[in-house]
Amino acid sequence: MFAAENGLRGDPRLQVISEAIRVVPDFPKPGIMFQDITTLMADHKAFKHTVDIFVERYRDMDISVVAGVEARGFMFGPSIALAIGAKFVPLRKAGKLPGEVISESYVLEYGTDCLEMHVGAVQLAERALIIDDLVATGGTLFAAIGLLERAGAEVVECACVIGLPEVKGKFRVNGKRLYVLVEPRQIDDCC
Amino acid sequence: MSSCNGEDPRILDIKSKIRVVPNFPKPGIMFRDITTLLLDPVAFKNTVDLFVERYKDKNITVVAGIEARGFIFGPPIALAIGAKFVPLRKPKKLPGEVISEEYVLEYGTDRLEMHVGAVEQGDRALMVDDLVATGGTLCAAMTLLEREGAEVVECACVIESLSLKVSYEYV
């Protein structure tokens, strides 16, 4: 569900956030309008609004784990975790985490990839929030949910800054609630 | 300089929360794993607080974090001190126009990239990573910032690798 349809309609912070995101055409390949959040993080006010909105939503949900998907989920997740008193768990590409891991594969446009989490990072019945910068097909979030649930955690919600049109009207990914701040910018929106 | 003088109890606690994983990523390397620190909300908060206390009055306008573990510590520091956060990334990850700097690995080289326009002439920058060993990555990072006209005020890391003597003059 989008934030504007879930209590934040008219919240001026959403427009500040949306306007701070840059669209880069044809990246990583022709035809893709890449939603670049680095300009959001270079705008302190907009970046703070982003974190604040998530913190306001999750601070009273008894969340003990914030899991961030590598690498852009690392840029948002820790600040949220710190503010709500939760631990931060990085979900990483294959071979990056040292020690014992569990892994979950997911489908790419061509081929598959793999997400890993440390064994012992989460405990049975912990309440978890999953964070990434953007959701498109939901494939990566699917894998992230799989990892958390295999470890016995309850995924309370998946949260992303940007949601592509595929998720409009969808409230869930693999049965888990999805919360998104803004829709993608179009190239014409940018000055 | 290391701030570990044994007096601030927060530092001893942080140290105790970092895990050593032997023979990762290859035999003979004792890998210092900060993910266990992140599992302790108090220790993680103390880590960020220590950096924020040090930098909040130094007029830092940019916090630059090195992929990927610098992305975990850099943004909370940037948000707390009112600075922008700039990610320094491995090749081909950043969209749009970038500048890049090569650095030496044990075998071969790698590159670090930054967006053109991310920093401006006169920006005062703090570099953040989880660990410094040889300083090679930090040197590449500093060069990127300086090429765009920023002044690197300091490099901040959670861990200094104890197996190497590191010179603190990166001029």
Side-chain angles (χ1 to χ4, degrees):
Chain A
M1 69 201 95
F2 281 84
E5 293 144 15
N6 194 51
L8 290 185
R9 182 174 300 282
D11 189 321
R13 294 178 298 177
L14 292 177
Q15 187 168 357
V16 171
I17 291 166
S18 179
E19 289 174 1
I21 294 165
R22 175 172 76 147
V23 180
V24 181
D26 302 318
F27 182 89
K29 48 187 211 249
I32 302 210
M33 304 298 274
F34 188 86
Q35 304 291 311
D36 181 17
I37 47 88
T38 64
T39 42
L40 171 65
M41 296 186 297
D43 179 334
H44 178 264
K45 194 163 67 163
F47 190 14
K48 188 170 187 308
H49 286 334
T50 308
V51 172
D52 286 349
I53 291 173
F54 287 131
V55 170
E56 287 159 17
R57 179 172 179 81
Y58 297 115
R59 62 155 53 108
D60 296 323
M61 285 193 189
D62 285 314
I63 299 213
S64 59
V65 180
V66 174
V69 179
E70 171 164 18
R72 290 183 288 265
F74 292 5
M75 300 178 195
F76 297 94
S79 300
I80 299 165
L82 285 163
I84 68 174
K87 53 189 174 186
F88 178 73
V89 172
L91 305 181
R92 298 209 68 175
K93 299 285 168 69
K96 300 288 185 73
L97 289 171
E100 206 185 348
V101 297
I102 55 171
S103 77
E104 191 79 18
S105 63
Y106 59 101
V107 176
L108 297 171
E109 194 179 357
Y110 299 107
T112 60
D113 207 339
C114 187
L115 214 54
E116 294 185 340
M117 182 174 80
H118 269 137
V119 168
V122 303
Q123 314 299 321
L124 195 69
E126 286 211 79
R127 289 167 58 79
L129 169 68
I130 296 174
I131 295 275
D132 205 353
D133 66 321
L134 182 145
V135 54
T137 61
T140 320
L141 287 177
F142 218 88
I145 292 165
L147 287 171
L148 272 292
E149 291 190 327
R150 278 166 60 191
E154 176 197 346
V155 176
V156 174
E157 200 156 90
C158 297
C160 299
V161 180
I162 306 162
L164 258 44
E166 290 99 306
V167 303
K168 190 122 178 122
K170 278 197 201 162
F171 292 83
R172 293 177 181 272
V173 168
N174 191 21
K176 302 302 162 188
R177 287 193 333 236
L178 174 66
Y179 186 75
V180 174
L181 296 191
V182 296
E183 298 185 45
R185 291 196 83 195
Q186 308 302 318
I187 195 71
D188 299 330
D189 296 343
C190 306
C191 44
Chain B
M1 70 212 80
S2 169
S3 65
C4 185
N5 56 12
E7 290 191 84
D8 190 326
R10 292 178 296 177
I11 291 175
L12 293 175
D13 182 54
I14 289 163
K15 209 170 167 184
S16 75
K17 296 294 182 336
I18 294 165
R19 171 172 79 147
V20 178
V21 180
N23 303 313
F24 182 90
K26 50 187 210 246
I29 302 211
M30 302 295 278
F31 188 87
R32 275 144 181 95
D33 180 17
I34 48 88
T35 64
T36 41
L37 171 66
L38 308 175
L39 296 180
D40 181 331
V42 171
F44 184 20
K45 185 175 187 305
N46 285 339
T47 308
V48 173
D49 286 350
L50 282 161
F51 287 128
V52 170
E53 287 161 22
R54 181 175 177 82
Y55 297 112
K56 68 181 194 293
D57 297 321
K58 290 201 159 81
N59 292 119
I60 306 271
T61 56
V62 179
V63 173
I66 297 176
E67 174 159 17
R69 291 181 289 265
F71 294 175
I72 295 173
F73 297 97
I77 298 168
L79 285 166
I81 67 174
K84 53 190 170 187
F85 177 73
V86 171
L88 305 183
R89 300 209 65 175
K90 297 285 166 70
K92 298 193 174 59
K93 302 287 184 75
L94 289 170
E97 204 186 349
V98 297
I99 55 168
S100 82
E101 189 72 23
E102 199 173 69
Y103 60 99
V104 175
L105 298 171
E106 193 179 358
Y107 299 106
T109 60
D110 205 340
R111 300 190 80 87
L112 211 55
E113 294 186 339
M114 182 175 79
H115 269 136
V116 168
V119 303
E120 306 174 322
Q121 189 78 25
D123 263 328
R124 286 171 57 78
L126 170 69
M127 323 296 309
V128 176
D129 206 354
D130 65 321
L131 181 145
V132 55
T134 62
T137 321
L138 282 173
C139 277
M142 283 192 283
T143 305
L144 285 171
L145 273 291
E146 290 177 342
R147 279 167 60 186
E148 290 284 279
E151 175 197 348
V152 177
V153 174
E154 199 156 272
C155 296
C157 300
V158 180
I159 308 162
E160 172 200 8
S161 173
L162 300 176
S163 57
L164 290 163
K165 208 75 176 117
V166 182
S167 162
Y168 297 107
E169 292 300 318
Y170 286 120
V171 177

